[in-house]
Amino acid sequence: NKRQEAIKLAELTTKDWSTEELVQRGQEVYEKYCAQCHMAEGQGISGIFPALAGSEIALYDKDRHIEILMEGVQGSAMAAFGESYSEVDIASVITYTRQAWSNGENGDGVIVTPQDIVAYKNRIDL
């Protein structure tokens, strides 16, 4: 029922998520939904699907990273996922790609939490 869903969502989005929890969940989301285009090791396909490993956005631009997953990229194959996936799944897959393939060591290492996704949605009124 709707009340139980609301309670579950509140628990997920107010929980204090650790980097490890987000990365673990994010890896599952990535392998299920993202690896088909961006490839298992984040290397992408040149000229079609951008590499995420070593990507400037994945390394240093948390806000743009959130925007891309939420809104998609016009004129590209990157769809908007803001309405399709939970705040937890979006936050965890962004955190995963920001930590995987040496991105965590080479970039700013900033994680994205479900609260960040809720704040983004509230800011732009999805």
Side-chain angles (χ1 to χ4, degrees):
N1 75 35
K2 285 209 177 284
R3 186 168 185 277
Q4 286 175 324
E5 284 178 30
I7 291 168
K8 183 178 177 192
L9 179 63
E11 287 172 352
L12 290 175
T13 56
T14 57
K15 177 181 178 197
D16 189 14
W17 290 83
S18 72
T19 302
E20 293 74 28
E21 288 172 314
L22 289 167
V23 167
Q24 182 179 0
R25 183 170 177 143
Q27 182 173 3
E28 294 169 12
V29 173
Y30 182 85
E31 289 169 356
K32 191 170 184 180
Y33 301 111
C34 312
Q36 303 90 299
C37 297
H38 293 288
M39 306 281 94
E41 297 300 315
Q43 72 271 31
I45 298 174
S46 184
I48 304 171
F49 303 113
L52 300 178
S55 152
E56 289 293 309
I57 291 169
L59 291 170
Y60 306 114
D61 196 345
K62 168 186 160 180
D63 292 339
R64 178 72 180 125
H65 207 157
I66 292 170
E67 182 182 9
I68 288 171
L69 265 85
M70 298 299 290
E71 309 294 332
V73 177
Q74 198 167 2
S76 82
M78 183 64 190
F81 293 110
E83 296 293 321
S84 306
Y85 298 98
S86 73
E87 289 87 351
V88 176
D89 285 347
I90 291 172
S92 63
V93 80
I94 293 172
T95 295
Y96 170 71
T97 59
R98 295 175 67 75
Q99 300 296 320
W101 321 300
S102 301
N103 284 355
E105 295 86 50
N106 297 330
D108 58 25
V110 173
I111 69 167
V112 174
T113 66
Q115 293 91 328
D116 292 325
I117 304 305
V118 171
Y120 180 89
K121 285 184 171 185
N122 289 338
R123 189 170 75 242
I124 61 151
D125 257 348
L126 279 183

